[in-house]
Amino acid sequence: MSSPFSSDIPKPVQVNLAPAFPVPAFGDLGKAANDLINKDFYHTSQATLDVKLKAPNGTAVTVKGKQGFDGVTTGSIEGKHTLKPQGTKKSRSSSPKAQNGFIKLLSFMTPLPAPQRTSLYLYIMGFPNGTDLQEKVGLTLRHAGVTITQAWTTASLLDTKVELNDVLAPGAKIDLHNLWNPSKASSAAQKINFAFKNPNVHSRAFVNYAQSSGNIDAIVDVVAGNEGFLVGGEAAYDVSKAAITRYGIGLGYVAPTYSASITSAQNLNIIAATFYQKVNSAVEVGAKAGYDVQAQKASGLELASKYKLDPLSFAKAKINDRGIAALAYSTKLNAGTTLGLGLSLDTQKLNEAGHKIGTSLTFEG
């Protein structure tokens, strides 16, 4: 029976402890400013063509072609497919009995820690071998948000990537990456990437193996954040040398309309600072500055701005400390076609050749 005074008891207030912005990876400190400065400028190639298609089964196919100013044409084709999560089976066990020429000793499906869509399948089988019993043990993961990506480039490189999301816990991810040139038997390179993130921590580990040299190296980075403040670091380790080859640290702050970061990389010898601000719904500005500690001099300064002309078009401009200016314009011609135009000018040598003009065309379907 409820108390007659229950209506006077205040209900507990639910507080959302999750940060307003997800904690980025170490390489993404200053991402907003870096994207504004580096992306959507089309003067880096004479012509670029991207075709993005999606099959009925969800497979995304991307075809890219690029013609450089040196006249060399390169291209690639990539297929990316994410397997749909499968349900789990209830655990079961049975006594040994013959099934299609072999004896099945034990089989069960057990869910791993969250999420529920992840399950681990362990089986032990016995195969009749005369009077003996030959056993086989297997372990299968089925399957935790698996994404398979296969790419091929005109440089004869086969790039295969398998991504396993939420493998052992929410936010845990494993990437298996293999890069191989079929014309060079010893050119294969394997990478295993581990990542874990939650509302306050984003950590990663990259293990690289080069078959040509037999060398193994690893890179570890981590970023922690609270109420918009970010702090992180990275370190690289060479197994053959048994030594740390490089390290760096970084600080950052993220707010709804602006962000700032400062990182020190290459054993704290290169310092880079970034700033980004969304002035209003149509205007964005950003800046990046670098300093070389060993040379004791500035290593670069870039300023960029983006202006949204209308819901389908935008214009961008940037300039660096060497007087190189770049302009870009992008517009959606229709629902699946985007046109980009780019121009690069050396403002200190306007009467000389060396300016660049580029175009980009993207089809999506």
Side-chain angles (χ1 to χ4, degrees), residues 109-227:
M109 181 79 77
T110 178
L112 293 171
Q116 296 180 353
R117 63 176 179 167
T118 307
S119 55
L120 192 66
Y121 184 48
L122 173 66
Y123 60 89
I124 305 174
M125 296 183 181
F127 293 84
N129 185 12
T131 58
D132 299 327
L133 191 66
Q134 182 180 1
E135 295 183 354
K136 180 180 180 181
V137 179
L139 190 65
T140 303
L141 185 69
R142 69 171 274 189
H143 53 65
V146 181
T147 300
I148 302 173
T149 304
Q150 178 66 63
W152 177 83
T153 71
T154 52
S156 298
L157 290 177
L158 292 174
D159 191 351
T160 305
K161 186 177 182 181
V162 179
E163 303 171 64
L164 306 175
N165 294 299
D166 300 327
V167 178
L168 298 175
K173 180 180 179 181
I174 298 177
D175 294 350
L176 308 175
H177 197 181
N178 182 76
L179 191 63
W180 179 50
N181 187 339
S183 62
K184 299 179 181 179
S186 62
S187 66
Q190 289 81 35
K191 298 181 181 180
I192 302 178
N193 305 331
F194 305 91
F196 175 76
K197 60 181 178 179
N198 61 30
N200 297 103
V201 176
H202 193 154
S203 58
R204 303 182 302 176
F206 309 91
V207 180
N208 307 315
Y209 171 71
Q211 185 175 342
S212 58
S213 62
N215 189 42
I216 299 176
D217 64 83
I219 302 172
V220 178
D221 63 42
V222 62
V223 175
N226 184 40
E227 296 183 354

Side-chain angles (χ1 to χ4, degrees), residues 303-318:
L303 305 173
S305 179
K306 178 179 178 180
Y307 180 69
K308 192 173 183 180
L309 301 171
D310 55 58
L312 302 178
S313 306
F314 66 82
K316 297 184 69 174
K318 71 175 180 178

Side-chain angles (χ1 to χ4, degrees), residues 44-98:
T44 56
S45 301
Q46 283 189 4
T48 301
L49 175 65
D50 292 349
V51 179
K52 303 177 182 180
L53 304 173
K54 195 167 186 178
N57 65 350
T59 299
V61 179
T62 303
V63 180
K64 295 183 179 181
K66 181 183 295 185
Q67 184 176 23
F69 291 100
D70 55 2
V72 177
T73 301
T74 59
S76 66
I77 181 170
E78 176 185 284
K80 185 173 184 178
H81 181 71
T82 299
L83 302 179
K84 295 181 180 180
Q86 298 178 354
T88 60
K89 296 181 180 179
K90 295 182 179 180
S91 302
R92 68 169 187 263
S93 61
S94 59
S95 59
K97 60 181 180 179

